[in-house]
């Protein structure tokens, strides 16, 4: 098992190292194509490689013209098999955090809740890899109030960290319906940027593919980079649709994504929020 993981990690890192070379080749092809279409002279730095690049361009199609990103491979098996999610907490959790973790566990079909105990992150990742877990979800708190969510995709990452606010648990919502265990339909609203698509993939692949007749709906709605999480079931009454909130509900905001698992301190950082720069209020990252 350890040899296989080490080999797969080496292969993944090798693919990442090839990206820069592919990016350079695609840029040269773009410059050559632009010169040929406009009838201008071929740039000097491309004259020696022009014939070889033109020969390669003849065999290009819409798929090969795009850069193959190593991050695409992280979810290459998504949808082939149902995800296997483990939900746990930070150390020494309060009773409120334990209750919230139970509710988070019920959100993900086929999820299991794990008592953190004295496990360090390295041990936790090793145990989950040995049991073919696809994602680890860790819930954090501050003074008994849930305030953070970390989602780590296995075996190679990425790891996304979210802050939580305005957390309302199921027992705080009046007249809640029983928690459905059907595979939910997912709604992602207003995720328009490249980073928005990345966050969508990280959240989307925590859930298995639902059946068409499922009456359970989970919504992620982006508004000024705050993602509103809502959980409903619906019923058709004639031509009308009756929505019933199940809970929990909360707002989440991504503040970092790194290209590695949660135990890798030196992993490359893909995104980090910088709220204290002058233009932070104007910029929209999702």
């Amino acid at each position: 098992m350890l040899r296989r993981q080490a080999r797969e990690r080496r292969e993944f890192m090798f693919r990442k190292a090839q990206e820069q070379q592919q990016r350079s080749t695609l840029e040269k092809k773009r410059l050559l194509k632009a010169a040929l279409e406009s009838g201008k002279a071929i740039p000097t730095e491309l004259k020696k490689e022009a014939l070889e690049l033109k020969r390669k361009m003849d065999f290009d199609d819409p798929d090969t013209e795009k850069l193959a990103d190593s991050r695409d491979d992280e979810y290459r098996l998504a949808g082939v098999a149902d995800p296997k999610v483990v939900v746990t907490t930070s150390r020494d959790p309060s009773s409120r955090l334990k209750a919230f973790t139970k509710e988070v566990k019920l959100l993900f079909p086929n999820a299991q809740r794990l008592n953190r105990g004295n496990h360090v992150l390295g041990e936790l990742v090793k145990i989950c890899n040995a049991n073919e877990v696809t994602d680890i979800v860790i819930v954090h708190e501050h003074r008994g109030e849930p305030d953070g969510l970390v989602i780590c995709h296995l075996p190679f990452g990425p790891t996304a960290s979210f802050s939580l606010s305005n957390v309302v648990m199921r027992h705080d919502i009046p007249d809640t319906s029983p928690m459905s265990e059907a595979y939910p339909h997912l709604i992602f609203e207003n995720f328009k940027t490249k980073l928005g698509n990345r966050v969508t993939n990280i959240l989307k692949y925590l859930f298995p593919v639902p059946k068409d007749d499922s009456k359970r709906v989970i919504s992620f709605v982006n508004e000024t980079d705050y993602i509103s999480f809502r959980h409903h079931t619906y019923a058709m009454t004639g031509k009308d649709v009756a929505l019933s909130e199940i809970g929990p509900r909360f707002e989440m905001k991504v503040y970092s994504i790194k290209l590695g698992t949660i135990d890798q301190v030196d992993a490359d950082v893909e995104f980090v929020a910088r709220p204290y720069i002058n233009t932070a209020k104007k910029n929209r990252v999702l």
Side-chain angles (χ1 to χ4, degrees):
M1 175 61 97
L2 291 176
R3 285 184 185 177
R4 188 186 73 183
Q5 288 177 6
R7 174 176 55 79
E8 288 176 346
R9 189 177 295 277
R10 284 197 302 271
E11 290 173 355
F12 183 69
M13 296 304 293
F14 177 70
R15 288 195 296 270
K16 282 184 64 179
Q18 285 185 314
E19 280 183 25
Q20 187 61 36
Q21 185 178 353
Q22 292 175 359
R23 189 176 287 110
S24 172
T25 305
L26 284 176
E27 179 63 19
K28 289 177 182 178
K29 285 182 181 179
R30 188 187 64 79
L31 292 173
L32 180 61
K33 186 177 180 180
L36 292 174
E37 288 178 350
S38 61
K40 295 181 180 178
I42 296 173
T44 310
E45 64 272 15
L46 297 181
K47 286 184 177 179
K48 291 183 180 179
E49 305 173 80
L51 289 175
E52 181 64 20
L53 288 172
K54 181 67 174 67
R55 187 181 65 80
K56 291 180 180 178
M57 285 167 57
D58 292 339
F59 296 98
D60 281 349
D61 56 28
D63 291 330
T64 55
E65 287 176 357
K66 298 176 184 176
L67 178 65
D69 196 337
S70 64
R71 292 177 298 184
D72 297 341
D73 291 335
E74 297 161 351
Y75 293 103
R76 68 187 184 280
L77 298 179
V80 176
D82 289 348
K84 193 175 177 182
V85 181
V86 163
V87 181
T88 186
T89 64
S90 52
R91 287 187 179 173
D92 195 20
S94 65
S95 58
R96 181 170 171 81
L97 185 66
K98 288 179 183 177
F100 180 66
T101 307
K102 289 179 183 177
E103 296 184 5
V104 170
K105 180 255 177 191
L106 293 173
L107 294 176
F108 307 115
N110 308 322
Q112 294 179 332
R113 187 170 63 89
L114 178 69
N115 290 329
R116 178 66 182 272
N118 291 323
H119 292 302
V120 296
L121 291 177
E123 290 177 2
L124 197 59
V125 170
K126 200 175 291 184
I127 291 168
C128 291
N129 274 328
N131 289 278
E132 298 182 347
V133 171
T134 59
D135 295 272
I136 304 175
V137 177
I138 302 178
V139 189
H140 295 274
E141 67 178 340
H142 178 68
R143 294 185 178 180
E145 189 65 26
D147 74 333
L149 191 73
V150 179
I151 299 171
C152 175
H153 185 66
L154 298 177
F156 305 125
T159 299
S161 301
F162 299 86
S163 60
L164 298 182
S165 57
N166 304 328
V167 176
V168 180
M169 296 171 62
R170 269 175 55 80
H171 63 263
D172 296 328
I173 300 174
D175 304 324
T176 52
S177 304
M179 176 74 83
S180 170
E181 293 186 6
Y183 291 1
H185 293 287
L186 303 179
I187 297 174
F188 289 91
E189 178 69 25
N190 204 24
F191 291 85
K192 298 178 179 177
T193 64
K194 186 177 179 182
L195 182 67
N197 292 333
R198 178 70 160 156
V199 171
T200 299
N201 285 339
I202 291 171
L203 296 171
K204 173 172 68 175
Y205 292 125
L206 292 171
F207 300 89
V209 180
K211 293 183 178 179
D212 292 339
D213 58 352
S214 174
K215 304 295 184 186
R216 185 182 177 196
V217 181
I218 290 180
S219 309
F220 297 90
V221 180
N222 171 43
E223 186 67 36
T224 63
D225 290 343
Y226 282 92
I227 304 169
S228 298
F229 175 89
R230 298 295 183 269
H231 185 197
H232 296 85
T233 56
Y234 71 91
M236 301 294 296
T237 54
K239 294 184 179 180
D240 298 328
V241 179
L243 273 181
S244 174
E245 185 171 7
I246 303 177
R249 78 166 82 117
F250 49 82
E251 318 298 321
M252 52 199 297
K253 185 172 185 177
V254 61
Y255 64 85
S256 81
I257 300 176
K258 66 176 186 178
L259 299 175
T261 53
I262 195 171
D263 60 325
Q264 294 176 338
V265 244
D266 54 347
D268 293 341
V269 176
E270 180 182 346
F271 165 77
V272 62
R274 304 189 186 278
Y276 299 111
I277 59 176
N278 291 337
T279 57
K281 291 182 180 178
K282 302 177 187 176
N283 294 336
R284 295 288 176 261
V285 296
L286 298 181

